[in-house]
Amino acid sequence: QNGPWADRPLPAGVRPVAWEGPRQPLRGPEEWFSLMPALERVVEGLRPDLIHAGPVTSCGFLASLLDRYPLLLMSWASDVLIDAARDALWRWLSCYALSHADRLLCDSPVVREKVRQLVGYPDERVVELPWGVDLQTFRPGRGGDGLRRRLGWEDARVVLSTRGWDAIHGIETLLEAFTLAAQAEPRLRLLLLGA
C-alpha cells in the first residue's frame, strides 16, 4: 500500500490480511463492483462478528452487499451531505447502504437528519459521536504561553485549524473568513496544522 501509514508497525494483536483484488485506483461506482469477489473472499475467510465500514457510498455500500454479517456503517459526512446528492446512482448507493446497515455512526446532527431524510433511518439505531471539544471539561488556559512567546504572539488571539487542506474541507473559505476577521481584529493569528 501507499501512504505514510504503510511502514508503521502494527499494534499488538493486529495482523494484516492479504488483499488479492484490484489495486489500481478506481474511477467511480461503476468500477467498484470489481472489488466484490476479493472482498467476499477476505470476509468469508475472517467470518467477522461485525463489519465496520465507511464512507457510506463506497466501502459502506460494498459491505452492505455482503448482507451476511452485522454492519456498522460509518458516515464521513461528505458521503451523505455531498456524494448522495451527486446524481441518481450516488443517491441509490447511499440509500441502499443505509437501508442495509444495522447501525449508523455519524458525527453531527446534520448528518443524522440527512440520513433520516434519505431513508427514514430509525433514530435509535444512530450513534452520534461529534467532533470538537467539550468546553465544560477542557477550557482555554495558559499552557501554550511558550509557543506564543516564541512567535511574539503574547497578546494575539490565535485561531487553530487542524483540518486537512483539501478543497472539501473548505480551506479557501477559512482563509477568506480569516482575512476579513483579521481586518476587524488585527491581533488575530492563524495556525494551520493540517496538511
Side-chain angles (χ1 to χ4, degrees), residues 19 21-22 24 26-44 48 51-74 79 89-90 92-101:
W19 175 256
Q24 73 279 8
L26 303 177
R27 291 183 296 259
E30 298 82 2
E31 296 183 0
W32 295 344
F33 291 100
S34 68
L35 301 173
M36 283 307 295
L39 179 60
E40 287 177 327
R41 283 192 299 274
V42 166
V43 170
E44 287 305 314
I51 295 178
H52 177 203
V56 168
T57 45
S58 56
C59 299
F61 169 72
L62 294 176
S64 72
L65 292 175
L66 297 169
D67 207 26
R68 289 186 294 278
Y69 301 94
L71 174 61
L72 171 60
L73 195 57
M74 182 171 178
D79 52 1
L89 174 60
W90 285 77
W92 181 82
L93 294 169
S94 302
C95 292
Y96 186 93
L98 290 163
S99 297
H100 287 79

Side-chain angles (χ1 to χ4, degrees), residues 132-185:
V133 175
D134 179 351
L135 293 177
Q136 298 304 316
T137 303
F138 302 99
R139 297 188 182 151
R142 291 286 160 197
D145 287 343
L147 178 60
R148 284 177 176 267
R149 189 172 37 260
R150 285 194 306 271
L151 295 173
W153 291 0
E154 291 92 341
D155 296 323
R157 302 211 37 131
V158 179
V159 176
L160 174 67
S161 173
T162 61
R163 292 306 306 256
W165 296 1
D166 305 302
I168 195 168
H169 296 142
I171 190 70
E172 295 87 2
T173 304
L174 171 64
L175 295 174
E176 290 171 14
F178 182 81
T179 299
L180 293 172
Q183 290 170 2
E185 173 52 83

Side-chain angles (χ1 to χ4, degrees), residues 50-57 60-61 70-77 79-81 94-129:
L50 173 76
I51 295 178
H52 177 203
V56 168
T57 45
F61 169 72
L71 174 61
L72 171 60
L73 195 57
M74 182 171 178
S75 171
W76 292 19
D79 52 1
V80 170
L81 301 175
S94 302
C95 292
Y96 186 93
L98 290 163
S99 297
H100 287 79
D102 296 285
R103 295 286 187 275
L104 174 70
L105 180 60
C106 68
D107 65 1
S108 70
V110 173
V111 172
R112 181 190 290 248
E113 180 55 32
K114 185 63 175 182
V115 166
R116 189 178 302 132
Q117 292 170 11
L118 284 168
V119 295
Y121 200 84
D123 200 53
E124 65 274 6
R125 290 176 30 203
V126 177
V127 176
E128 187 179 313
L129 296 174

